[in-house]
Amino acid sequence: MRRILAGATVAALLLVAAPAGAAARPDRLGWLAQQIGRQTLPDRDGWAADGPGTTGGSAATADRTRVVGSRAELVAALGGDNAGNATDATPKLIYVDGDVDGFEGPDGTALDCADLADPGYRLDAYLAAYDPAVWGRVPPAGPLEEARVRSVANQTRQTQINVGPNTTIIGLRGARLTGLTLMIDRASNVIVRNLTFVDARDCFPAWSPTDGEAGNWNSQYDQISVRRSENVWVDHNTFTDGDNPDSSQPVHFGRPYQVHDGSLDVTHTASGVTASWNRFTGRDKLMLIGSSNTVGPDVGRLKVTLHHNLFDGVLQRLPRVRFGQVDVYNNHYRLGGDDFQYALGVGVQSAIYAQNNFFTLDATVDPADLLYDWGGTALTERGTWVRQGDGAARPVDLLAAYNAAHDPDLGADAGWTPTLRRDPVLPAPLVPLVVGPLAGADRLPM
């Protein structure tokens, strides 16, 4: 039964969901919801099973088992004080019921970006002041930039929800976390499951005129951010921008006004993360593993496993890796469009082991461009299959295709072999058949 509930077998399709309209009290949850809420990461299921493993809030007592349906209730369940909740190590089991909105004020009223803006900040004034034609290509400075920074601090206090150690956050059917970031910082042993993350928008993006040849707008808020933490399991979630995609944003200073950052970023020496059976759809930046090229404390860290995830209509960082040993197997990638950039980013001292992944590509995407060299030297890649356009699925050596089209070549040995895999690796042609029906939120019988 445990293996079925983990969502790793086709038999999970036969499980019947609990009745609609879940009650607002833990004692009224169905038996399956109670069992799944206390589920721990199975042994050997990726890097999050390393060391002590990942148990989350499975040991939570009755008084720390909550069903929440608002931002205020979520903060209360996590400890009561958002600023201090990151240090609350008491086991906590939190079920999310309905839509929890990060832009919900203390009295339940809906807030917008104007409510969070510092009195000294206005976007039109900011654009006029820092237009490169006027300001030049140097970083913004002065009162308007300072007001933007204060505005960011206001939004961080409102929409960044701090999670402490020994916590499970799991969604009942239809649960959504909208406009917020789950910040897992110095908070090991955390489980996040069965949630749809929607539109973690940044009201006050930063203009970075030296980022790239033409500058870029950069946003601060990920949907989940894992920092300085170990043993984190992110499973059966859906990540989307909803009806507010970056493609719909305006262009300022000749660059897209990007209001979203990553879906699931693992940075600042974090390690021991397993991301399984998730669905990433219609987003730009997905997953950054390692935030800096500086050789230092990240060396030997940033160990992440990605298996049985669906990357659907997304553009880059699938993932982009620095330093870490990252196991990428049995994932399905459905990619295309003029804005697509790359899938696997091979960064400084990265060690990606990519095995038996399946790529469904439109006719515009060349398999040679699925890899991108961000300063790395090698990866291990084997067992890849590709279906391009209307063509038949076929095995493709992605590394050979990349090396034939790009210089310098990437080496073929990442220098390690994964051992933390619970089940045998599926043949790549079976991956779309299994991952499509089972990946994402609302696939568990909650």
Side-chain angles (χ1 to χ4, degrees):
M1 174 63 74
R2 187 183 187 196
R3 291 166 63 86
I4 294 174
L5 295 178
T9 67
V10 178
L13 287 172
L14 304 177
L15 293 172
V16 179
R25 294 209 317 258
D27 59 355
R28 294 184 182 175
L29 294 172
W31 181 85
L32 273 177
Q34 295 182 48
Q35 299 304 307
I36 296 172
R38 294 190 182 272
Q39 188 179 8
T40 63
L41 177 71
D43 293 341
R44 306 189 63 78
D45 193 350
W47 276 116
D50 197 26
T54 303
T55 59
S58 60
T61 56
D63 63 311
R64 296 308 300 268
T65 302
R66 311 277 182 87
V67 178
V68 304
S70 68
R71 178 191 178 279
E73 290 176 349
L74 177 58
V75 169
L78 286 165
D81 173 28
N82 194 39
N85 282 350
T87 61
D88 185 342
T90 305
K92 299 167 290 296
L93 173 54
I94 301 169
Y95 295 88
V96 178
D97 186 10
D99 193 345
V100 172
D101 193 336
F103 283 80
E104 179 188 89
D107 60 355
T109 60
L111 305 176
D112 60 22
C113 291
D115 295 309
L116 302 177
D118 182 88
Y121 177 83
R122 293 198 334 271
L123 179 59
D124 58 348
Y126 191 90
L127 294 174
Y130 301 119
D131 187 331
V134 176
W135 182 259
R137 292 205 173 271
V138 294
L144 272 170
E145 172 62 11
E146 293 164 4
R148 187 196 68 82
V149 172
R150 291 193 297 270
S151 301
V152 170
N154 292 340
Q155 179 172 354
T156 298
R157 285 190 293 270
Q158 175 66 37
T159 66
Q160 179 176 293
I161 306 300
N162 297 313
V163 178
N166 308 318
T167 300
T168 294
I169 304 175
I170 186 166
L172 300 175
R173 181 162 296 277
R176 292 158 50 103
L177 298 183
T178 301
L180 61 75
T181 297
L182 285 187
M183 176 58 71
I184 304 169
D185 190 358
R186 296 184 177 91
S188 296
N189 191 32
V190 173
I191 296 173
V192 181
R193 304 184 76 193
N194 204 49
L195 291 161
T196 295
F197 290 82
V198 184
D199 191 19
R201 58 197 177 277
D202 189 339
C203 292
F204 314 104
W207 171 241
S208 303
T210 59
D211 181 2
E213 295 181 358
N216 276 302
W217 293 94
N218 287 306
S219 297
Q220 175 162 316
Y221 302 105
D222 304 319
Q223 293 174 308
I224 300 178
S225 181
V226 182
R227 304 179 180 182
R228 291 171 284 248
S229 302
E230 297 179 336
N231 299 102
V232 176
W233 183 27
V234 179
D235 174 72
H236 275 98
N237 302 289
T238 295
F239 298 85
T240 174
D241 292 333
D243 59 2
N244 187 36
D246 281 325
S247 60
S248 70
Q249 303 303 319
V251 173
H252 296 308
F253 305 159
R255 301 296 298 156
Y257 189 67
Q258 193 167 54
V259 300
H260 301 107
D261 199 16
S263 289
L264 170 60
D265 282 8
V266 181
T267 61
H268 297 80
T269 74
S271 200
V273 177
T274 296
S276 55
W277 301 97
N278 299 292
R279 180 178 296 253
F280 303 87
T281 180
R283 303 202 74 244
D284 184 353
K285 300 172 183 176
L286 264 290
M287 190 178 302
L288 184 65
I289 301 175
S291 54
S292 169
N293 288 343
T294 302
V295 176
D298 279 335
V299 175
R301 306 287 295 171
L302 302 170
K303 296 179 179 180
V304 179
T305 298
L306 308 178
H307 71 79
H308 300 94
N309 300 288
L310 175 61
F311 299 93
D312 189 9
V314 292
L315 304 183
Q316 60 175 316
R317 301 183 181 179
L318 318 178
R320 176 181 173 179
V321 181
R322 299 174 172 100
F323 300 109
Q325 293 180 336
V326 178
D327 187 13
V328 183
Y329 74 93
N330 278 171
N331 300 285
H332 184 198
Y333 295 82
R334 293 201 296 232
L335 308 173
D338 294 338
D339 294 327
F340 172 74
Q341 297 191 39
Y342 66 92
L344 303 178
V346 185
V348 173
Q349 294 187 26
S350 63
I352 298 172
Y353 195 107
Q355 183 176 5
N356 289 25
N357 297 292
F358 193 100
F359 291 83
T360 301
L361 309 177
D362 73 14
T364 68
V365 178
D366 187 336
D369 294 329
L370 293 174
L371 308 180
Y372 193 91
D373 183 0
W374 287 104
T377 59
L379 82 160
T380 301
E381 179 269 324
R382 58 188 59 183
T384 302
W385 278 58
V386 172
R387 177 185 292 116
Q388 187 170 25
D390 296 328
R394 59 190 175 91
V396 172
D397 186 331
L398 292 189
L399 184 60
Y402 174 87
N403 286 340
H406 302 276
D407 289 317
D409 285 1
L410 292 170
D413 185 2
W416 72 293
T417 301
T419 59
L420 290 170
R421 291 176 173 174
R422 188 184 59 162
D423 293 316
V425 178
L426 291 173
L430 296 182
V431 168
L433 303 178
V434 174
V435 170
L438 294 178
D442 294 333
R443 269 66 177 179
L444 297 177
M446 298 295 292

